[in-house]
Amino acid sequence: MAYLWWERWGERPPLAVRNRLPLACWLLMLGLAIIDLPLRLLLTPYPLWPMLLLGHALVFAGIALLAAWLLAGRPGVGWIGGPLILLVSTLPVPSYLENAVIVPLREIFARLAAEISNLLGQPALAFGTSVHLGNGWVGIDEACGGIRSLQACVMIGLFFGEWYRFRFTRRVALLFAAVAAALLGNFARVLFLSLRASAGARAVESAHDLAGWLAMGASLLLTGWLACRWAGYRFPEWGRGGRIATSGASRKFPAAALWLAGIAGCFALNDAGTRLWFAHGREIRHATIPQWTAALPEHHWSFQPSPLSQPAREMLRPDFFVAGSWRTDADTTVSAYYVQWTHGQVARSVPFLHNPTICLPYAGCELVSTLRPLEVSWAGGTLPFFAYKFRQMGREILVAFTIWDPARGRLLQKPSPFQSWTDWWNAQWTEVREARQNQPGQLLTVSLPWSEDSPHRAQLLLQKIIRPAPESL
């Protein structure tokens, strides 16, 4: 956008003389600031909410257009407004659009890749968005489903449309062509990775990033080539309208400048107030809610650390992780891992998708029975742990874990369906009312061989591991 404004700097319109502004402009300034405040508050705990970001972007675009009108009238709106169309490509894809369009396209890509692999003599089956080959799996979700290249191509299509000043119909056609180029490049990448899978998982991993960059680069070049072809392979005529700003460059516009200063002040107050509100809430929670952490015996002679693999790290996205196994005084081997999330909203869902009750059955463990919860005492109170008995290849183990919400000092609540829009809205606004910028979470799990006194031994083990967090000492 900055380049487009710089490129047409010689076409900027003369400044208008406005010694007074109508009352409607000042009321509109106040209205925009009032509209922005709840958006700014909600974007703090939900920074990637597509519709909130769209509303926030529209507010700022409206301010820019109104400021252009105050400074230069209708010509100013046209000069400022054109490049703002690129804002569309910066917004995240809404989840309903991804579920309705992107996910079905991924499934189609997987089926096509499997069919072509079979035609080339490499047996393959498509399962949802993944391709199963003889030497392993190629996950289309894991291979970045093309969202980034799709948004990049949309951006470049919008850019060339504005750069060449295409007619509306040609801009729409170029936008569809950009989407088609992104989908074509993404499919080529999926097919390449599927064929590459015949050499093993390492070959797919080594080629993954290169294939993604090549696919996006080819899609962008194809979109740019089409735009240049439609424009006759020429550069735009810079300053085609002639420089017409000189006559008004020296005129004063005190009223418009005062309006701009006022709106900037309102938004600065919104931002400062939002930051103070959430910072105050964080300080209150740290002062009133006891915080704990897990300290595994990493210096014990028998401790064997278990590092987190890259695929697991991408799934869990922890802010802190430690895991390992060691031998106790009773000469039994126990294992534990501790995951902590401190920033963002990952803890709202990931702990419920990746915990022992979900992951152990996938690893071939059979759930034998659900045991009574364990109550583990520590300096700050009592922590409840869910306890289960599992069996794998004839060997029985006890597994105990907790999913804790350190911001509320209780078990982290699993998201549940809402009965109405009112319930949904109240749940979202609760985060603002309680000044919770992040949803922190803690997942602590221990496992040990099964015996009749395993629950008691697990309690003693957890009491040794759980310690007050340094900031709460």
Side-chain angles (χ1 to χ4, degrees):
M1 288 190 291
Y3 170 79
L4 290 172
W5 282 317
W6 171 81
E7 178 264 334
R8 62 187 66 182
W9 184 251
E11 302 177 10
R12 65 191 189 281
L15 299 176
V17 178
R18 296 183 186 273
N19 293 321
R20 296 185 60 184
L21 295 180
L23 179 62
C25 289
W26 300 104
L27 294 177
L28 186 57
M29 177 188 74
L30 183 61
L32 289 172
I34 293 174
I35 292 173
D36 179 72
L37 181 58
L39 294 176
R40 181 68 180 86
L41 287 168
L42 284 168
L43 277 173
T44 301
Y46 302 105
L48 295 179
W49 192 344
M51 298 311 295
L52 283 180
L53 287 172
L54 175 61
H56 204 53
L58 289 177
V59 168
F60 277 92
I63 292 172
L65 294 176
L66 184 55
W69 179 78
L70 293 176
L71 291 173
R74 182 174 295 180
V77 174
W79 189 82
I80 286 289
L84 288 178
I85 191 65
L86 269 71
L87 281 174
V88 175
S89 63
T90 68
L91 301 174
V93 178
S95 56
Y96 68 87
L97 183 61
E98 182 174 358
N99 293 332
V101 179
I102 304 300
V103 173
L105 284 175
R106 291 175 182 169
E107 295 177 350
I108 293 173
F109 289 164
R111 289 197 294 268
L112 288 175
E115 291 296 332
I116 295 176
S117 296
N118 287 320
L119 290 175
L120 296 177
Q122 181 174 311
L125 290 174
F127 291 89
T129 59
S130 301
V131 181
H132 186 207
L133 301 106
N135 290 335
W137 291 81
V138 174
I140 310 308
D141 287 328
E142 187 176 327
C144 312
I147 294 296
R148 294 175 182 172
S149 61
L150 179 60
Q151 287 187 276
C153 286
V154 168
M155 179 195 68
I156 208 69
L158 293 172
F159 170 80
F160 276 109
E162 179 61 26
W163 196 36
Y164 282 120
R165 320 286 177 89
F166 284 153
R167 301 187 308 273
F168 176 77
T169 53
R170 179 152 290 187
R171 293 191 189 205
V172 173
L174 183 60
L175 189 59
F176 276 102
V179 172
L183 296 178
L184 181 62
N186 189 54
F187 172 68
R189 181 190 60 187
V190 171
L191 179 60
F192 171 75
L193 292 176
S194 299
L195 297 176
R196 185 68 174 163
S198 61
R202 285 185 176 273
V204 173
E205 184 177 354
S206 63
H208 171 265
D209 290 344
L210 177 61
W213 283 110
L214 288 176
M216 182 157 66
S219 301
L220 294 176
L221 286 175
L222 182 58
T223 305
W225 168 80
L226 182 60
C228 293
R229 186 176 184 275
W230 285 351
Y233 298 104
R234 59 173 176 81
F235 279 100
E237 299 175 8
W238 294 358
R240 70 181 67 179
R243 181 163 181 166
I244 57 177
T246 305
S247 60
S250 61
R251 296 184 181 179
K252 298 181 179 180
F253 45 97
L258 186 60
W259 188 90
L260 287 173
I263 193 69
C266 289
F267 277 80
L269 287 175
N270 282 353
D271 187 75
T274 299
R275 292 175 183 272
L276 288 174
W277 173 253
F278 284 95
H280 178 65
R282 183 168 58 252
E283 291 175 359
I284 292 177
R285 283 190 295 273
H286 279 289
T288 58
I289 300 176
Q291 302 294 312
W292 60 271
T293 187
L296 303 188
E298 299 181 65
H299 299 293
H300 193 271
W301 64 269
S302 64
F303 186 83
Q304 297 292 327
S306 300
L308 191 64
S309 65
Q310 187 60 33
R313 185 171 296 277
E314 292 176 356
M315 286 189 296
L316 294 177
R317 289 174 284 170
D319 293 301
F320 177 78
F321 175 88
V322 62
S325 58
W326 67 97
R327 300 189 69 81
T328 65
D329 296 337
D331 202 29
T332 58
T333 300
V334 299
S335 301
Y337 68 87
Y338 174 64
V339 190
Q340 183 175 345
W341 298 271
T342 56
H343 298 88
Q345 306 297 320
V346 178
R348 291 188 185 278
S349 58
V350 167
F352 302 103
L353 300 175
H354 302 284
N355 63 63
T357 59
I358 303 296
C359 300
L360 287 181
Y362 283 124
C365 295
E366 175 191 358
L367 177 59
V368 177
S369 60
T370 301
L371 308 177
R372 293 179 58 184
L374 306 180
E375 300 292 334
V376 179
S377 300
W378 71 291
T382 302
L383 294 176
F385 278 75
F386 303 103
Y388 300 89
K389 182 180 179 181
F390 283 92
R391 181 188 296 119
Q392 184 181 36
M393 301 179 64
R395 175 173 170 265
E396 294 183 337
I397 59 174
L398 179 141
V399 177
F401 72 94
T402 188
I403 304 176
W404 191 252
D405 184 351
R408 290 189 170 100
R410 68 186 189 193
L411 289 174
L412 189 62
Q413 300 298 314
K414 183 178 181 180
S416 57
F418 298 103
Q419 300 297 324
S420 64
W421 282 101
T422 303
D423 294 338
W424 174 83
W425 174 254
N426 288 335
Q428 314 310 308
W429 192 252
T430 297
E431 304 300 308
V432 176
R433 188 170 59 250
E434 297 181 358
R436 290 161 49 90
Q437 179 175 354
N438 304 293
Q439 174 55 72
Q442 296 170 277
L443 171 60
L444 174 59
T445 301
V446 298
S447 64
L448 61 159
W450 172 259
S451 64
E452 291 301 324
D453 64 338
S454 291
H456 178 65
R457 290 193 293 119
Q459 281 182 311
L460 296 178
L461 177 65
L462 287 167
Q463 287 175 353
K464 293 180 180 179
I465 292 176
I466 296 172
R467 307 279 180 82
E471 59 270 19
S472 64
L473 292 175

